[in-house]
Amino acid sequence: MTNPRQLAFIALKEVHKGAYADVALDRVLQKFQLPDNDRRLMTELVYGSLRRQRTLDTLIDKLATKKAHQQPPELRTILHLGFYQLRYQEKIPVSAAVNTTVELAKQNGFSGLTGFVNGLLRQYLRLIENSSEPFKLPENPVERLGISHSFPDWIIEAWLEQLGFEETERLCAWMNQTPTIDLRVNILRSSLEEVESAFKSAGVLVRPIPYLPQGLRLISSTGPIQNLPGFREGWWTVQDSSAQLVSHLLDPQPGNVVIDVCAAPGGKTTHIAELMGDKGKIWACDKTASRLRKLKENAQRLHLECIEICTGDSRNLTQFNNIADCVLLDAPCSGLGTMHRHADARWRQTPSSVQELSQLQKELISHTANFIKAGGVLVYATCTLHPMENEEVISEFLAVNPHWQIESPGSDLVDIASPGWLKVWPHQRDMDGFFMVRLRKTKDSE
């Protein structure tokens, strides 16, 4: 089976049963060998249909007698695939989008409804002949942005409060783009110039990322990442530019003792090791052993030896008290800054899950602050843009820990808010949304 639309349908069925989108997609791609073009199409259809789910449901609600949530789940998925191609994929001919969707219905138990599927898609095409927008959007700004850009209302509300309407609309549009892939060159094994040259020879285009001495962004399609030059030799690893900023903010030095308390799968751990020249000790802690195995594989591929693995919940580890020069708390979070990469995150997270995560983050920072010697540094980072997981966590921590203070970093890349924390807004910086802050434990706390 090598039909990319049928395989996209199979992956989406798994997601709607509860699987994570990237896991479901990966499972299907590993099972069926697809040419690069079909692989890209399938990936785009899966992630795009998930991202645009609310808008696509609104189309079904507008055009069909039965609302989207009343349709058989698998038929609804087929309609999502059809409407996604017609509405968002200009390179796919209209006839191909309609005919392949009708064929999907026929092949997957809906042969009696092929006329309905065909009619619904053609009804949409007739509507957009007269107007680019087939349904009237509500005046209410939350619903308006939520429907047109396909986000739950509560996320739109959180952004509007911080950014206002125009900036929120720009952020929504950015989050619906196909994500770029950034690489971090391992300066202990290679150089930007060497990697760039090897890629150029292989016909792959990259460009340096401003302000990031190890950063390269892929600007052409590549096929499987592990087939690119230098991957097996450990010359580079995949890491978004925002995530690369975090380790620079930590600024670890050769010979330091560093504890990465939520380390797996290891992007930042290995970056810290590179910045330390692989000299010193990094304790990479995580409570999930399988994710730590991935970290170990990454460290071995990058030829890094100063990393020690520690399996366990950092809230229960006491052996590290007062031993660290620096601690990185890259806290578990809602991931609302990376929703372009994790297409299903916007539908998985809820206001109550954000509240639960905020509580976990407060517990983690409170416990892991004990790992640091007087005069040492803790960097708190998340890939979310929700104040409850960011500013509120830090403000509460500082209120009850007077011997800690924010250390404002010098940076031309990101706007530093008045208390000294950094918030990367993706639509302004063209990188994942991140929050990060550098905290110093003052000498007089002993």
Side-chain angles (χ1 to χ4, degrees):
M1 189 197 299
T2 55
N3 176 349
R5 291 172 176 84
Q6 177 65 28
L7 296 179
F9 170 70
I10 290 168
L12 285 167
K13 272 201 311 183
E14 292 305 307
V15 175
H16 295 314
K17 286 178 190 167
Y20 284 98
D22 54 346
V23 174
L25 184 70
D26 202 43
R27 203 178 286 147
V28 175
L29 285 172
Q30 283 188 10
K31 195 172 176 184
F32 302 99
Q33 296 304 308
L34 290 178
D36 285 351
N37 278 351
D38 285 350
R39 189 186 177 93
R40 277 196 295 277
L41 174 60
M42 182 200 161
T43 303
E44 181 61 39
L45 292 178
V46 170
Y47 285 157
S49 298
L50 288 169
R51 277 192 207 106
R52 299 288 187 171
Q53 192 172 291
R54 185 176 180 183
T55 315
L56 300 173
D57 277 343
T58 306
L59 277 176
I60 297 170
D61 290 351
K62 160 87 179 166
L63 299 170
T65 314
K66 281 186 179 176
K67 301 287 187 198
H69 70 274
Q70 296 170 318
Q71 300 287 347
E74 291 182 7
L75 180 62
R76 179 183 170 209
T77 300
I78 290 167
L79 291 172
H80 283 174
L81 284 165
F83 280 128
Y84 180 72
Q85 291 172 81
L86 290 177
R87 190 172 174 85
Y88 299 108
Q89 291 294 294
E90 290 171 7
K91 289 180 183 171
I92 295 176
V94 165
S95 57
V98 173
N99 295 340
T100 56
T101 307
V102 170
E103 196 56 36
L104 270 185
K106 196 182 291 181
Q107 288 171 355
N108 292 285
F110 298 102
S111 51
L113 291 172
T114 52
F116 162 74
V117 172
N118 185 49
L120 211 61
L121 297 179
R122 295 197 180 280
Q123 196 182 335
Y124 168 75
L125 290 169
R126 283 193 296 277
L127 275 176
I128 59 167
E129 272 176 21
N130 307 318
S131 162
S132 60
E133 193 45 80
F135 49 78
K136 191 175 186 302
L137 289 165
E139 289 300 315
N140 175 304
V142 173
E143 287 179 27
R144 188 180 189 85
L145 289 174
I147 290 170
S148 61
H149 294 282
S150 190
F151 285 91
D153 287 351
W154 68 272
I155 291 178
I156 300 291
E157 282 165 2
W159 289 347
L160 282 172
E161 211 170 285
Q162 297 173 82
L163 293 170
F165 187 88
E166 282 179 22
E167 288 283 293
T168 299
E169 183 149 47
R170 282 180 59 210
L171 175 57
C172 289
W174 192 93
M175 284 290 184
N176 283 329
Q177 293 179 128
T178 302
T180 55
I181 296 174
D182 294 346
L183 309 179
R184 186 191 80 234
V185 174
N186 178 3
I187 45 176
L188 305 181
R189 307 289 299 177
S190 188
S191 67
L192 248 69
E193 295 72 26
E194 186 176 19
V195 173
E196 213 170 341
S197 169
F199 277 25
K200 195 175 179 183
S201 300
V204 176
L205 300 178
V206 291
R207 64 173 171 79
I209 301 170
Y211 308 100
L212 286 170
Q214 296 164 262
L216 289 172
R217 177 162 290 178
L218 292 172
I219 51 174
S220 64
S221 53
T222 63
I225 285 288
Q226 60 273 23
N227 294 346
L228 290 176
F231 177 82
R232 288 175 181 80
E233 294 83 355
W235 288 4
W236 53 268
T237 194
V238 174
Q239 188 182 38
D240 183 77
S241 38
S242 288
Q244 292 183 43
L245 272 176
V246 174
S247 304
H248 286 295
L249 184 64
L250 187 69
D251 193 24
Q253 300 301 309
N256 276 173
V257 173
V258 180
I259 303 172
D260 187 351
V261 297
C262 301
K268 297 179 188 72
T269 318
T270 53
H271 192 194
I272 292 166
E274 290 165 16
L275 293 176
M276 289 165 62
D278 206 22
K279 295 181 175 69
K281 173 78 76 184
I282 303 170
W283 288 100
C285 311
D286 206 279
K287 64 179 187 179
T288 313
S290 59
R291 281 165 57 80
L292 281 170
R293 279 198 293 278
K294 181 77 176 159
L295 187 153
K296 205 170 181 178
E297 286 166 19
N298 284 333
Q300 284 170 349
R301 185 177 61 80
L302 296 166
H303 302 273
L304 299 167
E305 294 176 356
C306 71
I307 298 166
E308 293 281 344
I309 302 289
C310 175
T311 309
D313 187 326
S314 295
R315 292 171 294 177
N316 305 327
L317 303 176
T318 53
Q319 69 267 39
F320 295 132
N321 285 357
N322 295 309
I323 70 159
D325 299 293
C326 351
V327 162
L328 172 60
L329 171 51
D330 180 28
C333 72
S334 59
L336 300 184
T338 59
M339 285 186 289
H340 59 314
R341 295 188 190 285
H342 304 289
D344 47 345
R346 66 188 79 183
W347 314 119
R348 286 183 181 278
Q349 298 296 349
T350 62
S352 61
S353 69
V354 167
Q355 210 156 6
E356 285 166 22
L357 284 160
S358 176
Q359 183 54 41
L360 170 63
Q361 290 149 358
K362 287 170 185 173
E363 289 172 19
L364 280 165
I365 194 170
S366 172
H367 281 77
T368 55
N370 297 318
F371 296 171
I372 299 161
K373 301 172 186 172
V377 165
L378 182 150
V379 165
Y380 175 87
T382 71
C383 58
T384 184
L385 300 167
H386 203 294
M388 196 182 281
E389 299 179 79
N390 294 330
E391 294 91 335
E392 287 178 28
V393 172
I394 298 304
S395 299
E396 190 172 306
F397 174 76
L398 292 173
V400 295
N401 291 282
H403 51 278
W404 283 88
Q405 63 192 37
I406 293 179
E407 197 163 79
S408 187
S411 173
D412 300 325
L413 177 61
V414 283
D415 300 319
I416 299 167
S418 52
W421 45 56
L422 284 68
K423 198 161 192 173
V424 180
W425 289 103
H427 64 294
Q428 294 168 0
R429 301 294 175 186
D430 200 21
M431 56 176 72
D432 289 0
F434 253 80
F435 175 90
M436 53 194 96
V437 61
R438 180 179 165 95
L439 303 168
R440 173 83 65 180
K441 188 176 187 178
T442 54
K443 294 282 186 190
D444 62 2
S445 63
E446 289 179 304

